[in-house]
Amino acid sequence: MLLFIALANSHYFLQGAVVRGGFPGGGSGVDRLVAGGISTLVDGRAFPMFGVLFGYGVARIAARQTEQGVAWRSVRWLLWRRSLVLVGLGFLHAMLLYIGDILAAYGVLLFAGVWVLRWKDRWILLAALAFFVLTILPSDGSMAVSADPPDPSMLPPNFLDGLQARLPVQPVIALLGPIGFACPYLVGVWAGRRRILERPEQHKALLQTIAVLGIGAAIAGALPVSLWIAGFTSEPHPLDRFGPLHDACGTLGGFGYAALIALIAIRLKDHPGRITLAISAVGQRSLTCYLTQSVIWTVAFTPYLAGLADNLSITTTALLATATWLLTVLLADQMRRAGYRGPFETLIRSITYRRRLHFTAEESTSTV
């Protein structure tokens, strides 16, 4: 899925006289096919899966703390510290590397969404449904697909101008992003309570249904926009008409991808090969690998560095994204072999747990 994130983010740096859904027009037939494939399978379909995993992880952290006798107040503060670390790291990421940062949005979502851990299952699922309905309501565009060419916040002419352009944009992304991530987050919390992804054998029928329906809906819902991006239709304003459909089906696709990978894990977990172990190492160091991608984009596309935004095609950019992901696979596998968690995973864990206030469940809630 981090390969999908690389493919989704990198094409938005490309410039062109005409831009369709973040892809410059006028390319070759291969470029059109690549753009159509990415917009069908990747754009707006990879991030929802991370929203599911984020909520799943939050639920498991809270459950482990509770099982150790830690009171709710301590669990809440632990998760709030984690959220503040994400907001701070996301701010620096957006200012220095990539304005399309999602870490701060996840931090804001966790800060507000920590309360749902106390909700009953039916309220979590009803809230998830409400946010899902919100994404499919008619609007004048898409939350997941941009129709605009890169602006100075994406491709600043110099470092100081970049800071100036990004400063007003980053808070908007951080505060609006949680709206799109809320449904996957809530579903992830619900799934984490049942450990569905950790015990896929016990939920095989459910996972198969979600994989088929979710990925099928993602592909079908993307076609009105992806066919336009690939140049097969001349719809004048497809994002205005089909943008919400594209977004909502992308959320379902995120669920489908998570279910599919869990099903694949049933076959691989008892006899993992070297490739499986290497890709697993990327997942265990996903924050470091995600930020490594942004370093590559900054060096490759920023005008005052390599400045390749005008030179690369859609196809060569996809190849760069794939090569970047392969680089992170090699780096993560080396860290796995060395027994090293990863620099940013170590950082966020050390800050989150460094000053934990530990209250046992038996202690009075009126004392600290």
Side-chain angles (χ1 to χ4, degrees), residues 236-295:
H237 302 289
L239 291 180
D240 293 345
R241 295 184 58 187
F242 301 109
L245 174 66
H246 187 279
D247 296 349
C249 290
T251 298
L252 299 178
F255 300 158
Y257 282 138
L260 177 62
I261 292 173
L263 291 169
I264 294 173
I266 295 176
R267 293 180 172 272
L268 296 180
K269 70 175 186 177
D270 292 331
H271 303 285
R274 293 180 61 184
I275 294 177
T276 300
L277 290 174
I279 295 176
S280 297
V282 176
Q284 294 159 355
R285 297 157 182 83
S286 57
L287 180 58
T288 294
C289 293
Y290 169 68
L291 294 174
T292 300
Q293 291 183 8
S294 296
V295 174

Side-chain angles (χ1 to χ4, degrees), residues 19 40 66 78 135 144 173 188 194 199 246 275 301 305 322 340:
V19 175
T40 301
T66 302
L78 182 150
T135 63
I173 297 175
R194 284 157 177 75
R199 299 168 178 173
H246 187 279
I275 294 177
F301 297 111
L305 295 176
T322 304
Y340 180 48

